Amino acid sequence: LNLDESLETEVPLDTIVRDPNVDQTLEYRIFLNSSTPPGTEFPVDDGTINPQGGSVERPETFTRPHSLLSPGECNKIELIVVGNFLSFVDPRRPEEEGDFDSATWWIEVTDTDNPVIAVECR
């Protein structure tokens, strides 16, 4: 993503959340550039995903503002979806063991001041 050439101000993150419990409202959290292995970083966004009229598939688009991305780096954006999160003490932990799924996007970001990627995807 070249910030100087982009006409948009946000990065769209398209995904399809699948859950056989078609009536359940799900919770999500989005993390940006968290450590490996993940620690106790706070999410940059959180919310709910509502049922989609009895469908197992729930198309969702999440967005991240360009201002949160680090130019000259490969930025890692993680989406965590659960039935319910246990707490913010361990922000990725679901209330029910195994009730968890995730998606990860890797986005190399450049601009005029940072024309090359100095921090690779990791």
Side-chain angles (χ1 to χ4, degrees), residues 22-71:
V22 297
D23 297 323
Q24 181 183 26
T25 298
L26 304 172
E27 295 182 2
Y28 74 87
R29 291 181 179 165
I30 296 176
F31 297 85
L32 178 64
N33 295 325
S34 59
S35 61
T36 303
T40 56
E41 297 90 359
F42 285 103
V44 295
D45 191 14
D46 63 355
T48 58
I49 300 171
N50 294 317
Q52 297 286 318
S55 177
V56 171
E57 295 188 350
R58 306 177 195 196
E60 295 287 334
T61 299
F62 302 93
T63 58
R64 294 293 81 216
H66 287 177
S67 61
L68 292 180
L69 303 176
S70 301

Side-chain angles (χ1 to χ4, degrees), residues 46-106:
D46 63 355
T48 58
I49 300 171
N50 294 317
Q52 297 286 318
S55 177
V56 171
E57 295 188 350
R58 306 177 195 196
E60 295 287 334
T61 299
F62 302 93
T63 58
R64 294 293 81 216
H66 287 177
S67 61
L68 292 180
L69 303 176
S70 301
E73 297 184 16
C74 179
N75 292 257
K76 178 172 73 170
I77 301 174
E78 296 172 278
L79 168 67
I80 309 295
V81 178
V82 302
N84 290 296
F85 285 102
L86 184 61
S87 69
F88 264 100
V89 174
D90 185 356
R92 297 164 183 266
R93 187 172 178 189
E95 198 171 79
E96 183 181 323
E97 192 67 35
D99 184 21
F100 172 98
D101 208 350
S102 66
T104 302
W105 290 266
W106 297 92

